[in-house]
């Protein structure tokens, strides 16, 4: 392992428990895939010593909880050759050496429960390449504009056609595969669940395909690259067009220009590298650039090629007959070599970047301040256990990692190194994360390793430049909705405050429409950042409470219906917001008079079913006001709400709505324990809340609460019983345990007995201890000390809720639909054992 200037270091390793009767062994070939939701899928073969047979397993892990592996018997009868995630990260394709392709989907939207739903087959024909059809969505990152204020300048939408469209231009889902005998098969998923499949030969003269890859063009076509495995044979390229004619899938193919590797035409290396071992397009939507690797027993060479349009020179005889003027010169497509490496150790695996970086500079020339940007590099793993990150076009070294068996200077020639006895442990498959800040590799023992890739690639950059790289990638994840766990790997406690502030500044520079779209995503992002520093840990509670408040406010307002159908443009919810912001009266009844109360009429059963959510609003307002006298302590959860005019305004609106609903059904009101029977608790809290809201309603002109308000809040504990707020539990994930840069060793199927970093001790006062009653954080239902209902928890924030809904009322189902697929923070759900207490 090598740290420091190498630019890469090992974060954690996770391995299988050694069992006497059966054990996991790497399949040949071993494959893995990394989704945009930070789920990693990989394969092993489970060998049973008694029955002497192999079971082909697919394993899926969430990078935050790598020990919580979901292992499934794939049902493939032959070794699995390909794994591919879709662009949403929620479905997985697997293909085997018998021509079977299976599509896996989450069961009940759980990241640790999967089922095979549909599939296709080319009987007895091994699949060598597999890809989902392109959905037409392509975003370009402009690294050189990372300092721009507008997200539209940093991330621009590229015009790109889907591989196939339905009526109205909607992209059609499906996949394409290439088999060893030279067939291309396409399967289309119709909206009714039916699968249309077609198979066609890539060309009339079919030949063996040992390696293949698939890429897409902006015009909606598909490009397939193939090789028969011999470096003396050409690398062939084909254009594939897919269409649907009379409810049947149709495939048309066309031959494109081919190429011979440079090493085979070089007299010095002519017979040195007999086999092509890796063939990859540089990106799924970049069919003009391809990476090739040729190898012998001990060494490899890597070449990068580009397809270009070139003018065809016209003979003088024809020039005289028909002179070529301007742009009328005939053009041809021709492959040109961009770069090639010197002799390397033997390459065992290649991982390509997924960041769609737009290089606006001429080919290899990149601006000085971005030349070490992680997304520009691809990863090469070698048989000696080392990993190199090289520039994706120039193939120049950017960062290096030495495995335990390969400690050596960088510049020592590979040919001079003495070979160690016995087989070396090396990565047989690896994948870069979606921001290229992490690398997952599965080695020849079936062990999963997670490597950090420094944002500066191990080079000395000032702190501002490293922060700018991290901020730029956080913004990218905010815009795309991708998970940002791999960025958190690089955030140190000292960076948290700065990153949160800068992220907020960039967010506030965007237009109002974009701010509204990203409003919950930025809150979730801030929460995950604040979890990494002891000075900001209390704000994690506040951010999660704010997400809950936004969701409740949207749900309750959506239940309001206009009394007449021909109403003006504004909905009852919008009018409620407008009136509450205009009328600053501290008397709740005076504010209520200005509203059309007929718009608030709901069925009694609906109102009663919402009582738990209403109770949370009432309890939280009381807690906030009671904590106002202690506002000097930022460690206390709820502190940031006291200066947040927008959130206090939401609470004020909800108090008005609840007051009106209480007139219809008093039992839906929040329950307070008061010292006086005659006290109107709702009016008291609304009055104090309005005074506090008036102090901070204008973000640029926040004033301190006056002494009279603080005195009244000091009296609250003597008037009302202050409730305990059930804050979210501290997440049991791995990220906070990786901050000290020490290697963490884990075992699949066994949760680590590690103590988290010191922030947890400050948080104990706000979290229920083991053995105490548990709560459903989203339904606000008490589950008891040892819940009997199956529950699920969020992989990101640790929020817990019941797996099955106990409710049948439409309004509550509407509330539950908000977080059926993902948690309110955007994290994935994972099923918990019944004994999660």
């Amino acid at each position: 392992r090598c740290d420091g200037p190498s630019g890469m270091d090992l974060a954690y390793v996770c391995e299988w428990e050694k069992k006497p009767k059966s054990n996991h062994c790497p399949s040949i070939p071993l494959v893995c895939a990394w989704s945009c939701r930070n789920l990693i899928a990989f394969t092993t073969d489970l060998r049973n010593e008694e029955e002497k047979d192999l079971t082909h397993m697919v394993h899926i892990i969430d990078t935050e909880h790598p020990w919580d592996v979901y292992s499934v018997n794939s049902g493939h009868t032959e070794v699995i050759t390909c794994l591919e995630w879709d662009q949403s990260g929620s479905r997985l394709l697997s293909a085997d050496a018998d021509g079977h392709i299976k599509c896996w989907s989450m069961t009940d939207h759980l990241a640790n429960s999967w089922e095979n739903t549909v599939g296709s087959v080319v009987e007895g024909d091994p699949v060598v390449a597999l890809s989902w059809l392109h959905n037409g969505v392509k975003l370009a990152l402009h690294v050189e504009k990372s300092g721009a204020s507008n997200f539209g300048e940093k991330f621009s939408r590229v015009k790109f056609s889907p591989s196939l469209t339905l009526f109205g231009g909607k992209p059609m889902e499906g996949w394409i595969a290439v088999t060893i005998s030279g067939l291309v098969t396409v399967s289309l998923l119709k909206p009714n669940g039916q699968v249309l499949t077609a198979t066609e030969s890539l060309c009339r003269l079919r030949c063996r395909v040992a390696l293949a890859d698939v890429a897409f063009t902006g015009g909606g076509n598909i490009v397939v690259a193939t090789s028969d495995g011999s470096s003396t044979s050409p690398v062939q390229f084909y254009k594939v067009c897919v269409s649907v004619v009379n409810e049947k899938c149709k495939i048309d193919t066309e031959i494109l220009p081919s190429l011979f590797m440079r090493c085979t035409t070089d007299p010095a290396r002519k017979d040195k590298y007999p086999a092509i071992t890796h063939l990859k397009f540089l990106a799924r939507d970049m069919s003009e650039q391809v990476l090739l690797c040729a190898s012998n027993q001990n060494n490899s060479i890597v070449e990068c090629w580009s397809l270009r349009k070139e003018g065809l020179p016209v003979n003088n005889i024809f020039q005289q007959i028909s002179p070529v003027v301007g742009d009328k010169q005939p053009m041809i497509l021709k492959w040109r070599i961009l770069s090639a490496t010197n002799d390397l150790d033997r390459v065992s695996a290649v991982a390509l970047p997924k960041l769609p970086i737009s290089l606006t500079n001429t080919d290899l020339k990149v601006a000085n301040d971005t030349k070490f940007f992680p997304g520009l590099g691809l990863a090469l793993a070698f048989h000696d256990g080392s990993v190199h990150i090289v520039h994706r076009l120039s193939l120049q070294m950017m960062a290096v990692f030495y495995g335990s068996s390969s400690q050596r200077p960088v510049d020592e020639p590979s040919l001079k190194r003495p070979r160690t006895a016995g087989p070396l442990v090396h990565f047989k498959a690896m994948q870069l994360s979606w921001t290229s800040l992490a690398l997952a590799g599965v080695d020849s023992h079936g062990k999963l390793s997670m490597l950090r890739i420094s944002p500066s690639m191990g080079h000395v950059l000032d702190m501002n430049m490293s922060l700018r790289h991290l901020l730029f990638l956080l913004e990218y994840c905010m815009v795309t909705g991708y998970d940002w766990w791999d960025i958190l790997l690089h955030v140190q406690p000292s960076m948290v405050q700065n990153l949160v502030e800068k992220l907020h500044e960039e967010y506030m520079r965007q237009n109002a429409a974009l701010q509204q779209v990203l409003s919950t995503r930025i809150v979730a992002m801030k929460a995950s950042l604040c979890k990494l520093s002891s000075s900001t840990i209390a704000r994690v509670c506040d951010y999660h409470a704010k997400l809950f408040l936004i969701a409740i406010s949207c749900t309750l307002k959506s239940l309001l219906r206009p009394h007449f159908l021909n109403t003006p443009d504004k909905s009852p919810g919008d009018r409620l917001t407008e009136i509450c912001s205009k009328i600053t009266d501290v008397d709740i009844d005076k504010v209520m008079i200005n509203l059309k109360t007929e718009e608030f009429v709901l069925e009694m059963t609906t109102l009663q079913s919402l009582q738990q959510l209403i109770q949370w609003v009432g309890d939280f307002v009381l807690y906030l006001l009671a904590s106002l006298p202690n506002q000097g302590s930022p460690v206390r959860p709820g502190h940031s709400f006291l200066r947040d005019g927008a959130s206090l305004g939401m609470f004020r609106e909800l108090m008005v709505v609840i007051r009106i609903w209480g007139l219809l059904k008093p039992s839906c009101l929040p329950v307070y324990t008061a010292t006086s029977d005659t006290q109107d608790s709702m009016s008291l809290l609304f009055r104090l809340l309005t005074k506090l809201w008036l102090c901070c309603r204008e973000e640029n002109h926040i004033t301190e609460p006056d002494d009279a308000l603080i005195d009244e809040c000091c009296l609250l504990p003597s008037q009302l019983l202050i409730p305990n707020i059930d804050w979210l539990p501290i997440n049991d994930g791995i990220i906070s345990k990786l901050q000290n840069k020490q290697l963490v060793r884990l075992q699949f199927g066994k949760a680590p007995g590690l103590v988290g970093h010191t922030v947890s001790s400050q948080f104990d006062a706000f979290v229920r201890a083991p053995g105490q009653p548990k709560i459903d954080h989203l339904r606000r239902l008490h589950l008891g000390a040892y819940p009997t209902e199956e529950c699920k928890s969020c992989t990101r924030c640790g929020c817990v809720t019941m797996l099955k809904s106990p409710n049948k009322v439409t309004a509550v189902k509407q509330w539950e639909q908000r977080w059926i697929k993902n948690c309110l923070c955007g994290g994935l759900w994972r099923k918990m054992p019944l004994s999660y207490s």
Side-chain angles (χ1 to χ4, degrees):
R1 180 178 167 219
C2 187
D3 304 309
S6 70
M8 301 171 73
D9 71 292
L10 209 47
Y12 64 73
V13 294
C14 204
E15 45 199 330
W16 298 100
E17 182 185 2
K18 297 288 185 289
K19 291 184 179 178
K21 293 291 182 186
S22 63
N23 65 316
H24 289 274
C25 57
S27 54
I28 300 172
L30 184 80
V31 283
C32 70
W34 193 325
S35 84
C36 63
R37 307 299 302 276
N38 280 322
L39 295 175
I40 295 175
F42 64 102
T43 59
T44 63
D45 291 338
L46 187 62
R47 181 185 291 118
N48 191 313
E49 297 294 343
E50 291 178 350
E51 299 176 18
K52 301 289 184 186
D53 63 348
L54 287 177
T55 305
H56 305 291
M57 305 292 291
V58 173
H59 310 283
I60 298 173
I61 64 157
D62 156 41
T63 52
E64 177 71 335
H65 304 89
W67 57 87
D68 185 19
V69 62
Y70 179 75
S71 301
V72 60
N73 179 350
S74 65
H76 286 293
T77 54
E78 295 292 334
V79 68
I80 298 169
T81 56
C82 303
L83 286 177
E84 278 290 323
W85 289 101
D86 72 347
Q87 288 197 307
S88 69
S90 57
R91 286 180 302 180
L92 177 72
L93 288 176
S94 64
D96 66 15
D98 195 35
H100 287 76
I101 301 169
K102 297 188 176 188
C103 178
W104 302 85
S105 302
M106 290 185 196
T107 310
D108 297 327
H109 309 289
L110 297 170
N112 57 353
S113 183
W114 295 77
E115 60 184 352
N116 172 218
T117 47
V118 292
S120 62
V121 62
V122 185
E123 200 66 56
D125 205 350
V127 175
V128 293
L130 179 66
S131 176
W132 289 89
L133 297 179
H134 205 287
N135 62 2
V137 177
K138 185 182 177 184
L139 205 66
L141 273 79
H142 303 281
V143 182
E144 71 282 0
K145 295 182 181 177
S146 60
S149 59
N150 188 355
F151 284 172
E153 293 179 41
K154 300 178 190 181
F155 320 109
S156 61
R157 182 80 181 261
V158 178
K159 191 176 180 182
F160 209 89
S161 298
S163 305
L164 196 63
T165 54
L166 293 163
F167 178 76
K170 184 182 177 183
M172 194 167 191
E173 295 181 320
W175 57 82
I176 178 171
V178 181
T179 70
I180 202 165
S181 69
L183 292 177
V184 59
T185 177
V186 174
S187 297
L188 305 175
L189 300 176
K190 294 184 72 178
N192 61 6
Q194 189 182 353
V195 180
L196 293 179
T197 301
T199 303
E200 188 62 64
S201 176
L202 278 170
C203 62
R204 288 181 184 176
L205 186 63
R206 280 172 65 184
C207 55
R208 179 177 180 271
V209 175
L211 300 167
D213 199 21
V214 179
F216 301 91
T217 68
N221 293 322
I222 303 165
V223 177
V224 174
T226 67
S227 166
D228 65 3
S230 170
S231 60
T232 57
S233 301
V235 178
Q236 302 277 10
F237 294 86
Y238 305 92
K239 182 169 82 172
V240 178
C241 302
V242 183
S243 56
V244 176
V245 180
N246 298 327
E247 290 294 307
K248 289 186 178 179
C249 182
K250 184 172 180 285
I251 301 172
D252 294 302
T253 62
E254 179 185 324
I255 297 176
L256 295 175
S258 57
L259 66 88
F260 282 93
M261 285 191 71
R262 170 68 62 84
C263 63
T264 60
T265 58
D266 182 354
R269 292 191 174 106
K270 191 169 184 183
D271 301 315
K272 190 173 181 181
Y273 299 104
I276 296 179
T277 52
H278 297 89
L279 162 62
K280 298 275 186 186
F281 285 106
L282 283 187
R284 277 275 181 257
D285 42 23
M286 204 187 294
S287 59
E288 306 86 24
Q289 288 168 344
V290 70
L291 187 83
L292 298 164
C293 174
S295 306
N296 57 29
Q297 286 294 321
N298 301 318
N299 300 97
S300 294
I301 190 167
V302 177
E303 297 177 359
C304 184
W305 290 73
S306 179
L307 185 67
R308 296 179 180 176
K309 273 187 178 179
E310 294 184 0
L312 191 65
V314 179
N315 191 288
N316 288 336
I317 296 172
F318 297 107
Q319 281 271 27
Q320 293 167 9
I321 299 169
S322 176
V324 174
V325 182
D327 59 354
K328 289 186 178 179
Q329 184 180 9
M331 306 292 284
I332 59 165
L333 288 170
K334 202 164 189 178
W335 285 101
R336 292 289 184 189
I337 190 165
L338 283 177
S339 55
T341 63
N342 295 321
D343 294 343
L344 304 168
D345 225 3
R346 187 167 181 191
V347 173
S348 61
V350 177
L352 294 165
K354 300 177 180 71
L355 274 177
I357 293 176
S358 171
L359 295 177
T360 52
N361 311 322
T362 58
D363 273 348
L364 304 177
K365 187 183 175 186
V366 183
N368 284 332
D369 61 340
T370 60
K371 65 183 175 184
F372 301 127
F373 193 76
L376 294 172
L378 59 90
L380 302 174
F382 297 93
H383 274 255
D384 66 355
S386 65
V387 178
H388 293 181
I389 303 288
V390 297
H391 193 283
R392 67 182 187 182
L393 295 179
S394 68
L395 300 180
Q396 291 176 347
M397 178 86 75
M398 297 173 75
V400 62
F401 167 81
Y402 298 138
S404 56
S405 55
S406 58
Q407 295 289 347
R408 62 172 187 271
V410 181
D411 51 357
E412 186 181 335
S414 61
L415 297 176
K416 293 182 182 177
R417 275 181 240 124
R419 303 219 157 260
T420 53
L424 297 172
V425 177
H426 59 269
F427 291 150
K428 295 185 69 179
M430 62 180 183
Q431 284 274 314
L432 284 163
S433 71
W434 283 64
T435 62
S436 292
L437 288 178
L439 175 77
V442 186
D443 67 20
S444 42
H445 290 173
K447 179 174 68 179
L448 180 90
S449 300
M450 181 64 66
L451 279 73
R452 286 188 196 87
I453 302 175
S454 164
S456 62
M457 289 291 172
H459 296 270
V460 180
L461 293 182
D462 59 36
M463 180 62 82
N464 285 338
M465 187 59 69
S466 294
L467 277 174
R468 202 169 102 183
H469 282 178
L470 292 177
L471 181 67
F472 181 66
L473 292 171
L474 282 169
E475 291 167 355
Y476 171 67
C477 290
M478 199 197 310
V479 169
T480 56
Y482 295 163
D483 190 73
W484 55 90
W485 177 87
D486 44 331
I487 304 174
L488 300 181
L489 277 176
H490 302 271
V491 178
Q492 293 300 305
S494 57
M495 299 180 182
V496 170
Q497 184 68 30
N498 206 342
L499 270 176
V500 170
E501 287 175 2
K502 286 213 164 25
L503 198 63
H504 183 74
E505 284 173 19
E506 294 297 324
Y507 169 77
M508 294 306 292
R509 288 178 182 173
Q510 310 313 310
N511 61 54
L514 186 56
Q515 282 188 28
Q516 189 171 356
V517 170
L518 303 177
S519 59
T520 54
R521 209 170 283 163
I522 189 174
V523 174
M525 202 168 264
K526 288 177 182 176
S528 59
L529 286 167
C530 287
K531 202 178 289 185
L532 302 176
S533 169
S534 56
S535 60
T536 54
I537 191 70
R539 283 158 62 182
V540 177
C541 294
D542 294 7
Y543 288 131
H544 287 143
K546 186 168 183 177
L547 286 171
F548 197 66
L549 169 64
I550 292 168
I552 286 183
S553 176
C554 291
T555 301
L556 297 190
K557 282 184 186 177
S558 68
L559 296 174
L560 309 180
R561 293 287 180 267
H563 190 55
F564 301 106
L565 290 177
N566 56 343
T567 51
D569 295 337
K570 288 185 179 174
S571 66
D574 292 336
R575 279 201 297 278
L576 170 70
T577 303
E578 186 180 9
I579 289 168
C580 286
S581 61
K582 278 183 183 176
I583 300 172
T584 57
D585 205 296
V586 296
D587 187 339
I588 192 169
D589 293 323
K590 288 184 180 176
V591 177
M592 197 172 69
I593 288 168
N594 291 276
L595 293 165
K596 297 176 180 177
T597 50
E598 62 269 16
E599 293 179 342
F600 293 75
V601 176
L602 296 178
E603 292 179 12
M604 296 301 153
T605 51
T606 301
L607 290 176
Q608 192 58 50
S609 68
L610 297 170
Q611 205 281 327
Q612 282 85 5
L613 301 183
I614 290 169
Q615 184 69 46
W616 181 85
V617 173
D619 284 350
F620 203 88
V621 169
L622 175 53
Y623 170 83
L624 284 181
L625 293 170
S627 64
L628 181 62
N630 301 319
Q631 60 177 315
S633 171
V635 177
R636 190 182 176 88
H639 175 264
S640 63
F641 276 97
L642 302 175
R643 301 295 171 91
D644 185 352
S647 296
L648 294 176
M650 270 190 229
F651 276 121
R652 194 166 170 267
E653 293 166 19
L654 293 177
M655 292 286 276
V656 174
V657 173
I658 292 166
R659 180 73 161 193
I660 297 172
W661 285 347
L663 298 175
L664 299 170
K665 189 170 182 65
S667 61
C668 78
L669 288 170
V671 177
Y672 297 107
T673 305
T675 53
S676 169
D677 293 337
T678 58
Q679 180 175 279
D680 186 348
S681 302
M682 286 280 289
S683 293
L684 171 66
L685 293 177
F686 184 83
R687 180 165 56 81
L688 298 178
L689 179 64
T690 302
K691 287 182 179 180
L692 180 59
W693 169 68
L694 289 171
C695 295
C696 55
R697 62 187 295 203
E698 295 177 19
E699 192 176 347
N700 300 324
H701 187 65
I702 296 175
T703 58
E704 290 296 320
D706 57 28
D707 292 342
L709 174 58
I710 292 174
D711 289 344
E712 283 191 89
C713 290
C714 282
L715 293 173
L716 275 177
S718 63
Q719 297 169 305
L720 295 165
L721 180 67
I722 310 301
N724 287 322
I725 301 295
D726 285 288
W727 304 105
L728 284 185
I730 292 182
N731 198 355
D732 61 347
I734 194 74
I735 197 75
S736 60
K737 301 174 179 70
L738 301 174
Q739 285 193 300
N740 57 9
K741 296 290 179 90
Q742 293 296 312
L743 171 63
V744 176
R745 295 191 176 277
L746 304 165
Q747 195 176 88
F748 288 119
K750 190 175 180 182
L754 295 173
V755 179
H757 65 57
T758 52
V759 299
S760 60
S761 58
Q762 300 179 17
F763 218 40
D764 290 343
F766 314 119
V767 182
R768 288 175 181 258
Q772 284 192 324
K774 304 295 186 300
I775 191 168
D776 183 323
H777 293 108
L778 297 180
R779 295 186 180 90
R780 311 310 302 176
L781 296 173
H782 292 275
L783 303 174
Y786 302 99
T788 55
E789 290 290 326
E790 286 188 318
C791 293
K792 58 184 179 181
S793 72
C794 173
T795 55
R796 192 184 283 161
C797 70
C799 168
V800 175
T801 187
M802 282 186 288
L803 195 55
K804 292 179 181 175
S805 171
N807 300 297
K808 293 182 180 177
V809 181
T810 308
V812 182
K813 284 186 176 179
Q814 185 178 333
W815 164 245
E816 291 173 351
Q817 282 299 315
R818 285 189 171 271
W819 37 267
I820 191 80
K821 290 185 179 179
N822 302 297
C823 177
L824 294 176
C825 74
L828 291 167
W829 293 115
R830 64 187 181 115
K831 190 176 181 179
M832 301 179 71
L834 277 174
S835 58
Y836 83 89
S837 55

